[in-house]
Amino acid sequence: MKNIAKATALSLALAFASASAMAQENIAFINAGVVFQNHPEREAIGQNLEKQFKAEADKLAASKKSIDGKIAALQKDAKNLRSADIKKREDEINKLMRAHDEKARQFQQETAKAEREETAKLLGAIQDATNKLAKEKGYTYVIDANSVIYAVDGKDITEDVLKAVGGKLPEAPKAEEKKAQ
């Protein structure tokens, strides 16, 4: 009987201690996806990447067009060519296609790497702004809004972090515009 009383007393003490500790926690949430999508540098980075890789993309497109032209010419001329000539052209086309595919694969890897690096920089800036804001406002934890099932109003710091990185939330459509449509 004494063991049951001790276990009950210990359980109650732990329950009150954990409730007290939870009351001291200051938890906020942030929608990191919204901050990322509305980051002021995101579009500029996308445009810079596009400019950076445009020449190579154009070369690849021209190469593909040239190969397609050779295939069409072979199909058109095949009935008038000897089988040895057809085989020679097919080998040439296959060689060009393999070279094109390798260049396209390398291009895709380079662009993906550059996009990952730029995304990491943006996410780092968002993380730094979130950490700074959390320290300033005394938040113990900041959780991604997509992981939150319930939160008290006023604990969403998405807009504050977005302002800290120099962005702003897009304006919601006005009621008058909705009625007109």
Side-chain angles (χ1 to χ4, degrees):
M1 190 69 170
K2 283 186 177 183
N3 287 339
I4 294 174
K6 286 181 184 179
T8 304
L10 182 60
S11 297
L12 288 173
L14 286 174
F16 286 124
S18 65
S20 161
M22 287 182 69
Q24 294 172 357
E25 298 295 336
N26 194 3
I27 301 172
F29 61 94
I30 179 175
N31 190 328
V34 168
V35 176
F36 182 79
Q37 289 298 319
N38 294 291
H39 196 289
E41 295 176 19
R42 190 178 66 82
E43 284 187 35
I45 288 172
Q47 291 170 354
N48 287 343
L49 287 173
E50 190 174 316
K51 267 188 226 175
Q52 179 181 350
F53 293 107
K54 184 173 179 12
E56 186 66 26
D58 290 345
K59 284 181 188 176
L60 285 170
S63 170
K64 177 72 171 134
K65 189 174 180 180
S66 171
I67 292 170
D68 290 344
K70 288 181 187 278
I71 291 171
L74 177 59
Q75 289 172 343
K76 181 181 173 189
D77 298 340
K79 59 186 170 203
N80 300 329
L81 295 174
R82 294 179 300 146
S83 62
D85 291 335
I86 292 173
K87 174 88 169 105
K88 183 179 175 184
R89 282 190 182 183
E90 284 176 342
D91 290 344
E92 178 188 343
I93 290 170
N94 286 333
K95 182 179 175 184
L96 290 172
M97 287 177 71
R98 282 191 299 274
H100 171 78
D101 290 346
E102 178 61 24
K103 287 179 185 177
R105 185 187 61 75
Q106 287 176 347
F107 174 75
Q108 194 171 28
Q109 287 177 345
E110 289 171 11
T111 56
K113 180 182 176 188
E115 287 175 7
R116 281 191 308 271
E117 289 171 354
E118 294 300 327
T119 298
K121 288 178 188 176
L122 285 180
L123 292 175
I126 292 169
Q127 182 69 47
D128 292 344
T130 303
N131 291 347
K132 182 179 177 188
L133 186 69
K135 287 177 185 175
E136 288 174 1
K137 294 200 175 189
Y139 292 117
T140 311
Y141 297 103
V142 177
I143 301 171
D144 186 55
N146 294 325
S147 302
V148 175
I149 296 172
Y150 172 79
V152 178
D153 291 340
K155 296 285 186 160
D156 183 357
I157 62 170
T158 301
E159 192 169 352
D160 295 334
V161 172
L162 194 53
K163 286 178 185 175
V165 296
K168 65 178 182 175
L169 288 173
E171 293 183 27
K174 296 180 182 173
E176 294 173 10
E177 291 177 5
K178 286 183 182 176
K179 289 179 184 177
Q181 296 176 353

